[in-house]
Amino acid sequence: MRSLNLIDSWVQTCSIFNGSSSSSFVGLICKTPMKCSKPNFKIHRRARLSSSSSSSSSSCFSVSAVVTKEEQETLGEISSGSDCFNFKAYMGEKADRVNRALDESISVKTPPTIHEAMRYSLLAGGKRVRPILCIAACELVGGDESTAMPAACAVEMIHTMSLIHDDLPCMDNDDFRRGKPTNHKVYGEDVAVLAGDSLLAFAFQHIASATVGASPARVLAAVGELAKSIGTEGLVAGQVVDIASTGAKDVGLEQLEFIHIHKTAVLLEAAVVLGAIVGGGSDTQVEKLRKFARCIGLLFQVVDDILDVTKSSEELGKTAGKDLIADKMTYPKLMGLEKSREFAEELLAEAKQQLEGFESYKAVAPLVALAEYIAYRQN
């Protein structure tokens, strides 16, 4: 019987919709299938995946946080053939619409300083992975982008809040974010704290007041899901344990997973689940997408840890190697670089397995591609 350990236990604890999922999936981005094994996944499994799972001549991606120039070109243009999903165009179009919606959501008004500080970090760029995941999940279950957009923006507001607060001297003490000075370096620590607080509050106001096309019950469920994901059962829990674990020598894999499932993965999960809820997804669909999101959320952190020790600050757009300097436990530090990459492969395969049953190639392709992108990104 397959065990997802912390992933399963969190899904059972966190779920607002009660459902089940017990299938596997080998993803398709092109109509030519990507060769991929179906491992009996276990979160602590250390065995290397078979060679067929990591690459093939027909696959649009390979799984690695450090890739060749040719592989980067493959990611940018998944295929010139008409049968392939154009990931680059999709991300560009969705990110543009998300950026416009974020820009329109918060205007500069009295008092101007706080609104300028909110906009400074919210509109500082970024890949917009979380809001795009929200929109893709909504569309997968039959909803419209316009219905998902307020929830997508709300998730990005909360993500931005977490970055502003994470960068503060009392937390990670970082000077740069997305290639720009951090919020407190521009506006001061006091205003930065308040800007984060304001984004957090406004996120809930925005999803509650701006969502159109979803029933009040679904909007309420989405609000509850988002609130749970950032409190003491979610992001805050991960942050607190992360702080307490800094410098500790006895941090094991289970504790490291707890930190990152709560600190990083939970907001990616919220993005996907919110999209599925407001899009009209069934209980079963919501729970399958929850597990998909939990896998890619943990994958995001594993890749982040790899990039932190293999890329420069200029390449990352933030301070490289800061976890090592702060004596924080990371996957490469605990498992080694190669085992961390293998673990990323396993998480990617399991994420894809959760998408079986969503039969529309056109609808599934964005989430498959986004999962590959998270595994494949360079910053």
Side-chain angles (χ1 to χ4, degrees):
M1 183 176 181
R2 189 179 65 202
S3 171
L4 292 177
N5 295 351
L6 287 176
I7 290 180
D8 270 344
S9 65
W10 174 261
V11 166
Q12 293 165 8
T13 301
C14 181
S15 175
I16 286 178
F17 285 77
N18 292 318
S20 62
S21 60
S22 57
S23 57
S24 63
F25 175 78
V26 179
L28 294 179
I29 294 177
C30 301
K31 289 183 179 178
T32 303
M34 181 173 70
K35 295 179 182 177
C36 184
S37 66
K38 295 183 180 180
N40 180 25
F41 183 81
K42 188 175 181 181
I43 202 82
H44 297 304
R45 193 165 74 93
R46 294 289 170 265
R48 184 177 181 83
L49 294 180
S50 64
S51 59
S52 65
S53 69
S54 59
S55 64
S56 77
S57 59
S58 62
S59 79
C60 290
F61 299 93
S62 65
V63 183
S64 175
V66 181
V67 297
T68 64
K69 180 179 179 182
E70 290 74 17
E71 287 171 326
Q72 292 180 36
E73 291 171 350
T74 299
L75 177 60
E77 299 177 16
I78 294 175
S79 173
S80 58
S82 61
D83 290 342
C84 260
F85 174 72
N86 192 331
F87 178 66
K88 184 177 180 179
Y90 177 87
M91 289 293 286
E93 291 169 5
K94 293 295 187 186
D96 283 347
R97 290 200 281 271
V98 167
N99 286 330
R100 286 198 298 272
L102 289 170
D103 185 29
E104 293 168 0
S105 67
I106 299 177
S107 58
V108 177
K109 50 190 174 183
T110 303
T113 301
I114 188 65
H115 293 97
E116 289 167 357
M118 292 164 69
R119 287 173 58 84
Y120 174 80
S121 293
L122 186 63
L123 304 179
K127 297 172 282 289
R128 306 305 189 198
V129 170
R130 290 161 190 81
I132 294 174
L133 279 168
C134 183
I135 293 167
C138 179
E139 293 179 331
L140 176 58
V141 299
D144 296 326
E145 178 186 293
S146 59
T147 301
M149 190 61 78
C153 289
V155 170
E156 191 69 0
M157 290 172 192
I158 289 175
H159 173 55
T160 302
M161 173 277 295
S162 74
L163 299 182
I164 293 173
H165 286 179
D166 209 38
D167 290 335
L168 290 167
C170 64
M171 300 291 277
D172 280 0
N173 192 25
D174 217 329
D175 294 344
F176 292 95
R177 173 71 66 177
R178 292 171 174 168
K180 299 173 66 176
T182 47
N183 197 289
H184 68 274
K185 286 293 180 181
V186 177
Y187 294 97
E189 293 179 38
D190 47 3
V191 173
V193 170
L194 294 172
D197 293 346
S198 299
L199 284 167
L200 175 61
F202 187 70
F204 290 98
Q205 177 184 337
H206 190 62
I207 193 173
S209 63
T211 303
V212 177
S215 69
R218 285 188 175 271
V219 175
L220 181 61
V223 167
E225 183 76 32
L226 187 57
K228 181 173 281 191
S229 74
I230 61 177
T232 56
E233 295 181 49
L235 191 154
V236 170
Q239 186 72 66
V240 168
V241 177
D242 185 32
I243 292 169
S245 302
T246 300
K249 304 301 180 185
D250 58 347
V251 177
L253 183 59
E254 188 168 326
Q255 186 170 344
L256 185 62
E257 285 176 356
F258 178 92
I259 291 169
H260 293 313
I261 282 175
H262 291 78
K263 184 180 175 182
T264 302
V266 70
L267 199 53
L268 283 156
E269 177 186 325
V272 172
V273 172
L274 261 63
I277 291 173
V278 300
S282 67
D283 295 357
T284 299
Q285 288 175 324
V286 169
E287 293 313 309
K288 286 175 74 68
L289 286 170
R290 184 188 298 281
K291 284 191 176 182
F292 162 81
R294 179 50 53 92
C295 288
I296 64 170
L298 193 53
L299 171 63
F300 190 97
Q301 186 60 52
V302 174
V303 172
D304 222 38
D305 285 356
I306 293 170
L307 293 173
D308 192 56
V309 296
T310 58
K311 294 292 181 179
S312 68
S313 297
E314 290 74 21
E315 290 171 307
L316 294 177
K318 59 182 180 180
T319 306
K322 65 177 183 179
D323 289 340
L324 185 64
I325 296 170
D327 199 21
K328 287 190 175 184
M329 186 58 67
T330 65
Y331 283 97
K333 186 175 180 179
L334 185 63
M335 300 167 60
L337 196 56
E338 188 59 31
K339 290 293 184 182
S340 297
R341 287 177 175 143
E342 292 171 13
F343 188 36
E345 292 183 10
E346 296 181 9
L347 288 166
L348 179 62
E350 177 62 24
K352 291 177 180 179
Q353 289 174 4
Q354 298 305 318
L355 295 178
E356 187 174 90
F358 296 100
E359 297 179 356
S360 169
Y361 160 76
K362 182 179 179 181
V364 169
L367 286 178
V368 177
L370 278 159
E372 294 279 1
Y373 171 72
I374 286 170
Y376 196 61
R377 63 197 174 92
Q378 294 298 291
N379 54 40

